[in-house]
Amino acid sequence: MSKSTTIPAPGPGTQESGQGRPRPVAAPRMVKQRRRRPGLIALSVALIAAGGLSGAVLYSTSGQRTAVLVVAHDVPAGTKLAKADLGTASVALDPAVKAVKASQASSLVGQRAAVDLQAGALLSPSQVTKKSLVGPGEQLVGVSLKPSQFPASRLSPGQRVLVVSTPDEQTAAADKENGLERKPKTLAASVVAVGSPAVGTGNVVVDVAVPVKDGPALAAQAATGNVAVIVDARDGS
């Protein structure tokens, strides 16, 4: 009579080996729960909030636009500003940029351009002046010039020039006959205004400021038409 052997079924803590024998199974590892740090969490929240706030401030600052004055078209230095010379634009300005607000336009009309103003450029306070181009101790003399008596380059108010007295035909002929060579007389002056070319002749009247002692002599010479204007080399032209 044979005896039967009963093999117990593997329990929850064992695994069956390849030979049918149960083998022990390692107990599952307990995951250690991380300890929460309230201080670190609060710091993270504060940094996120600060970043969002700074971004909002930067966005709102960059979005603020100011109405400022711009130059409507080219204006030569020394020219009086008219209302038509000024335009407006709405821009976001950096604090370092000095611009004239559009509300100040009326106060600039009648003032002079201190430098050459370019169309489309922002107008800054230093680019305009209330000073007259005829200074103390100077006189204003109008000189009528033929197209051949001044440079083709446009003369601008405030520009330094030399007014040259040219000899008349009789004096030039007498000097040539006597073998004389006279140096032309020159007078330093500054341009105050430039007129429009006359129809037909193209003559242009240029107002220049000269010292009081030289004003009458220049006016007498200009009346003969024997004058010419050259640009002073100090302007780099």
Side-chain angles (χ1 to χ4, degrees), residues 77-78 112-117 126-129:
R112 296 182 183 275
V115 296
D116 289 338
L117 303 179
S126 62
Q127 292 178 322
V128 294
T129 180

Side-chain angles (χ1 to χ4, degrees), residues 73-101:
H73 51 77
D74 291 348
V75 179
T79 304
K80 285 187 177 182
L81 294 175
K83 187 176 181 180
D85 297 327
L86 305 174
T88 60
S90 180
V91 296
L93 288 178
D94 187 280
V97 177
K98 305 300 181 183
V100 181
K101 294 184 179 181

Side-chain angles (χ1 to χ4, degrees), residues 103-136:
S103 58
Q104 298 175 325
S106 59
S107 64
L108 297 184
V109 174
Q111 295 191 37
R112 296 182 183 275
V115 296
D116 289 338
L117 303 179
Q118 304 298 323
L122 292 179
L123 190 64
S124 66
S126 62
Q127 292 178 322
V128 294
T129 180
K130 295 180 179 180
K131 295 181 180 179
S132 172
L133 293 182
V134 182

